[in-house]
Amino acid sequence: MATRDIRLERIDNEYSSLRGAQNRLMNKVDDFESAILGLTEVVANNRDLIVENREMLLAIIKHLEVPYEKPPMGFRQK
């Protein structure tokens, strides 16, 4: 058949195009996953630092005998 080579080339191009699109999509998903994992790690580290700073401030308040009332937890309704 005269068109067999053309058809095979068309099928190959469609397959390559599909695989290329899938690879680009998977790369973006991998990039997003890496970003989320990095942000999660940074948030956890920041939380630890905040807890440490809070403990130090409370110790200083106690040591200096500063009158201090802890603010209420949560949201206050007006």
Side-chain angles (χ1 to χ4, degrees), residues 10-58:
R10 185 184 71 182
I11 291 170
D12 184 51
N13 287 340
E14 288 175 0
Y15 177 79
S16 296
S17 176
L18 175 63
R19 288 292 177 218
Q22 288 174 340
N23 286 337
R24 287 190 300 276
L25 178 62
M26 287 184 224
N27 287 340
K28 287 202 180 284
V29 169
D30 289 343
D31 291 344
F32 287 138
E33 182 182 27
S34 295
I36 289 171
L37 290 174
L39 287 173
T40 302
E41 184 178 331
V42 168
V43 167
N45 290 340
N46 282 345
R47 183 188 183 286
D48 293 342
L49 292 172
I50 289 169
V51 168
E52 184 179 330
N53 285 343
R54 181 182 180 277
E55 289 171 357
M56 286 190 298
L57 286 172
L58 291 174

